[in-house]
């Protein structure tokens, strides 16, 4: 102990210098968005590969459940495929795909913070770009925010800034879905006009207005209708159809025509 | 004695105000941005304890950072500069023990000594500051150019200040 004290006293100048510099750098990284993102991007690579290995191992424990989910989805897709429908018009073919789906695996996820992010094992190498939507077989998941070579990080719907353009399936009324940190299972729909009545169990789907999600992806079902006197817009609680705490495989949605759509929108604003 | 403390406190406040109100608004061709506030660290007496040097530099940089919304950058650079100061003094006059009352300025130690002393410390400060600001090495040479130009300007201002106060005392 005495030696330690003597050592500290002898080298106090350089130790104080290191202490102050560490403090200054922590200030830089915490307070300057640019520096923060540089650090995050370079550490993404390292943490990504560690988390990937961990996920590889832990995946084995949920194989059964995932298989069941995949089988269910396969069944659903079969029911949607060509053979499931009566052919009425053989000349009409969809050659342009509006949306492309890229499957990805969740390697890191959180649901218990105010702002939740997850990491997926697809990156620029696989054609992922920022602002792509992410869904799973049960419903929407989030939006890609930043991409490195092999990984991308996704802002979950469970995020302060997430605001999903949605509609009520039965009457096509446009609403917005947000999350207010109540519970990872429960979201809120805002901006419901007061003349619209919604009931327990009404389905909420994406509106397709944002170019990020295709129309008709399931978001959740209404749980509770909240009215307040004197307000022009009502709110309602919904149960998310996605189980954010149990995500394994997701699909990243690429909209190849997004650029064209945005250009047109810009042009419109110009006029 | 309290008069001396008061003088340095006043210098501290004046330099910060001059830096944030006047100099930070000067941006010749996007490259030149003089940081005169480092003059405070240059002018501290030789007897200043080393720990006080670091603490003062920390608060100096931090005050500038609060105004320029670049929390931490000027702090890191100033602390680094203060850390180098004793070594630079030793490098420039290794065997000389300064008498009490002698301060690091042109009047007491001559132009050549002060010029070298300021040049090295300002250059170190600007190197750290600008490279932290850019935070990558891919723009190495353009940053180096910025450092050189800004160092020249800061040094010119520091020397100019010396002569202003020097003449002031003579009269």
């Amino acid at each position: 102990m005495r030696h330690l004290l003597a050592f500290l006293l002898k080298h106090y100048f350089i130790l104080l210098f290191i202490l102050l510099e560490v403090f200054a750098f922590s200030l830089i990284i915490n307070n300057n968005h640019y520096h923060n993102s540089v650090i995050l991007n370079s550490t993404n690579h390292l943490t990504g590969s560690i988390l990937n290995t961990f996920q590889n191992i832990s995946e084995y424990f949920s194989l059964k459940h995932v298989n069941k989910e995949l089988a269910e989805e396969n069944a659903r897709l079969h029911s949607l495929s060509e053979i499931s429908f009566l052919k009425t018009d053989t000349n009409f073919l969809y050659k342009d795909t509006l949306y492309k789906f890229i499957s990805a695996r969740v390697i890191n996820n959180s649901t218990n913070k105010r702002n939740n992010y997850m990491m997926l094992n697809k990156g620029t190498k696989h054609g992922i770009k920022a602002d792509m939507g992410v869904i799973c077989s049960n419903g929407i998941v989030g939006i890609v925010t930043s991409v490195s070579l092999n990984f991308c990080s996704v802002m979950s719907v469970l995020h302060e800034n997430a605001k999903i353009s949605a509609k009520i399936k039965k009457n096509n009324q446009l609403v917005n879905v947000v999350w207010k940190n109540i519970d990872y299972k429960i979201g809120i729909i805002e901006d419901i006009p007061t003349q619209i009545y919604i009931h327990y169990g009404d389905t909420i789907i994406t509106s397709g207005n944002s170019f990020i999600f295709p129309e008709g992806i399931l978001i959740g079902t209404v749980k509770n209708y909240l009215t307040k006197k004197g307000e022009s817009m009502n709110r309602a609680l919904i149960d998310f159809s996605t189980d954010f705490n149990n995500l394994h495989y997701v699909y990243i949605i690429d909209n190849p025509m997004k650029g064209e759509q945005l250009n047109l929108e810009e042009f419109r604003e110009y006029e | 004695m309290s008069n001396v403390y008061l003088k340095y406190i006043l210098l501290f406040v004046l330099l910060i105000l001059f830096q944030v109100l006047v100099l930070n608004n000067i941006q010749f061709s996007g490259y030149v941005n003089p940081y005169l506030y480092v003059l405070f660290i240059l002018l501290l007496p030789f007897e200043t304890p080393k720990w006080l040097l670091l603490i003062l530099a920390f608060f100096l940089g931090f005050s500038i950072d609060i105004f320029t919304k670049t929390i931490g950058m000027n702090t890191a650079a100033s602390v680094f500069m203060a850390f180098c100061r004793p070594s630079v003094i030793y490098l420039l006059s290794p065997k000389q023990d300064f008498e009490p009352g002698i301060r690091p300025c042109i009047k007491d130690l001559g132009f050549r000594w002060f010029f070298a002393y300021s040049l090295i410390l300002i250059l170190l400060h600007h190197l750290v500051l600008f490279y932290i600001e850019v935070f990558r090495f891919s723009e190495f040479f353009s940053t180096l150019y910025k450092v050189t130009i800004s160092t020249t300007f800061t040094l010119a201002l520091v020397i100019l200040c010396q002569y202003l106060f020097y003449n002031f005392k003579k009269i």
Side-chain angles (χ1 to χ4, degrees):
Chain A
M1 193 64 202
R2 259 177 59 196
H3 287 288
L4 181 70
L5 272 180
F7 175 80
L8 287 180
L9 277 176
K10 197 179 164 196
H11 297 285
Y12 83 94
F13 184 52
I14 190 156
L15 289 175
L16 184 65
F17 165 70
I18 291 168
L19 187 79
L20 289 177
E21 283 290 336
V22 168
F23 186 57
F25 271 90
S26 68
L27 284 177
I28 293 175
I29 288 158
N30 287 327
N31 289 297
N32 298 287
H33 186 257
Y34 164 67
H35 295 79
N36 193 0
S37 70
V38 170
I39 294 284
L40 271 185
N41 276 342
S42 51
T43 51
N44 243 357
H45 198 73
L46 178 72
T47 54
S49 58
I50 292 171
L51 291 169
N52 201 7
T53 318
F54 179 73
Q55 189 65 24
N56 272 338
I57 297 163
S58 65
E59 224 174 17
Y60 278 99
F61 299 105
S62 52
L63 271 183
K64 196 176 168 189
H65 181 78
V66 172
N67 273 338
K68 191 170 152 246
E69 221 175 352
L70 285 176
E72 275 169 12
E73 177 153 30
N74 273 340
R76 202 170 59 79
L77 289 176
H78 276 301
S79 68
L80 288 176
S81 68
E82 222 180 329
I83 46 165
S84 310
F85 294 98
L86 272 178
K87 276 183 196 149
T88 51
D89 188 351
T90 47
N91 294 328
F92 194 65
L93 279 170
Y94 282 98
K95 276 214 172 141
D96 277 342
T97 45
L98 187 53
Y99 291 100
K100 278 197 283 188
F101 294 77
I102 303 153
S103 88
R105 212 180 62 202
V106 179
I107 57 172
N108 178 28
N109 185 15
S110 74
T111 54
N112 53 4
K113 303 197 179 75
R114 177 63 187 96
N115 296 320
N116 294 292
Y117 289 90
M118 59 190 83
M119 200 184 273
L120 311 181
N121 68 340
K122 291 282 159 77
T124 40
K125 219 157 101 179
H126 313 94
I128 310 297
K129 288 185 220 92
D131 291 333
M132 285 185 177
V134 180
I135 61 168
C136 71
S137 58
N138 293 328
I140 60 164
V141 172
I143 296 164
V144 176
T145 50
S146 65
V147 195
S148 63
L149 187 63
N150 289 307
F151 302 100
C152 65
S153 98
V154 174
M155 179 177 87
S156 163
V157 174
L158 312 181
H159 192 289
E160 188 173 25
N161 297 336
K163 194 171 191 183
I164 312 292
S165 169
K167 64 183 181 185
I168 304 164
K169 196 179 179 184
K170 67 174 181 186
N171 54 17
N172 285 333
Q173 281 290 334
L174 288 176
V175 290
N176 285 312
V177 175
V178 295
W179 186 66
K180 289 274 156 83
N181 202 12
I182 307 169
D183 185 333
Y184 72 87
K185 291 174 189 148
I186 297 169
I188 291 182
I189 49 177
E190 292 185 332
D191 308 332
I192 311 164
T194 36
Q195 76 273 17
I196 303 298
Y197 264 96
I198 52 176
H199 300 285
Y200 176 81
D202 280 355
T203 311
I204 308 296
I205 55 175
T206 54
S207 68
N209 286 357
S210 62
F211 313 134
I212 293 174
F213 295 106
E215 187 186 346
I217 303 289
L218 191 60
I219 297 176
T221 51
V222 173
K223 181 188 171 70
N224 208 343
Y225 190 35
L226 310 166
T227 51
K228 236 185 209 171
K229 271 188 182 166
E231 279 189 17
S232 59
M233 297 290 186
N234 286 328
R235 305 198 292 172
L237 295 182
I238 58 167
D239 273 326
F240 284 128
S241 56
T242 310
D243 184 357
F244 287 97
N245 214 15
N246 188 15
L247 283 175
H248 294 281
Y249 287 93
V250 294
Y251 302 94
I252 302 167
I253 306 169
D254 183 10
N255 179 356
M257 296 180 191
K258 187 176 170 187
E260 191 182 324
Q261 287 166 331
L262 288 176
N263 268 344
L264 187 63
E265 196 164 66
E266 243 169 55
F267 184 66
R268 191 175 67 202
E269 274 163 17
Y270 230 72
E271 284 181 326
Chain B
M1 201 62 196
S2 64
N3 192 18
V4 177
Y5 289 133
L6 201 68
K7 225 174 84 184
Y8 279 104
I9 291 169
L10 202 66
L11 182 68
F12 187 91
V13 176
L14 280 179
L15 277 174
I16 289 173
L17 288 182
F18 188 63
Q19 179 67 45
V20 297
L21 297 181
V22 182
L23 290 180
N24 280 353
N25 298 320
I26 297 177
Q27 293 257 344
F28 298 117
S29 68
Y31 278 111
V32 181
N33 197 357
Y35 290 95
L36 186 67
Y37 74 91
V38 297
L39 181 65
F40 182 76
I41 302 171
L42 293 175
L43 286 187
L44 281 172
F46 288 116
E47 304 93 72
T48 318
K50 286 171 165 184
W51 61 269
L52 188 61
L53 204 63
L54 289 179
I55 301 282
L56 284 175
F58 182 84
F59 282 108
L60 182 71
F62 194 68
S63 318
I64 299 288
D65 277 334
I66 292 171
F67 284 106
T68 54
K69 306 270 184 292
T70 51
I71 304 293
M73 294 183 210
N74 285 300
T75 316
S78 309
V79 170
F80 180 71
M81 179 182 165
F83 174 72
C84 294
R85 198 186 100 137
S87 319
V88 173
I89 291 173
Y90 182 78
L91 188 83
L92 288 172
S93 35
K95 280 172 193 147
Q96 199 177 337
D97 274 331
F98 296 105
E99 292 169 28
I102 288 204
R103 272 164 296 145
C105 59
I106 291 184
K107 195 184 164 194
D108 289 352
L109 290 160
F111 182 81
R112 280 185 60 178
W113 188 91
F114 187 78
F115 185 82
Y117 166 73
S118 314
L119 176 66
I120 297 171
L121 285 179
I122 292 171
L123 190 64
L124 287 171
H125 173 271
H126 284 28
L127 275 174
V128 174
L129 180 64
F130 283 92
Y131 278 102
I132 286 178
E133 200 184 357
V134 177
F135 219 58
R136 59 169 68 137
F137 283 109
S138 59
E139 292 158 19
F140 187 85
F141 287 103
S142 78
T143 312
L144 199 64
Y145 180 63
K146 255 169 119 170
V147 169
T148 324
I149 301 278
S150 283
T151 303
T152 318
F153 266 76
T154 308
L155 189 64
L157 276 175
V158 165
I159 304 279
L160 190 73
C161 277
Q162 282 288 301
Y163 278 104
L164 278 178
F165 286 98
Y166 184 57
N167 285 338
F168 216 77
K169 272 176 191 165
K170 242 180 161 180
I171 297 161

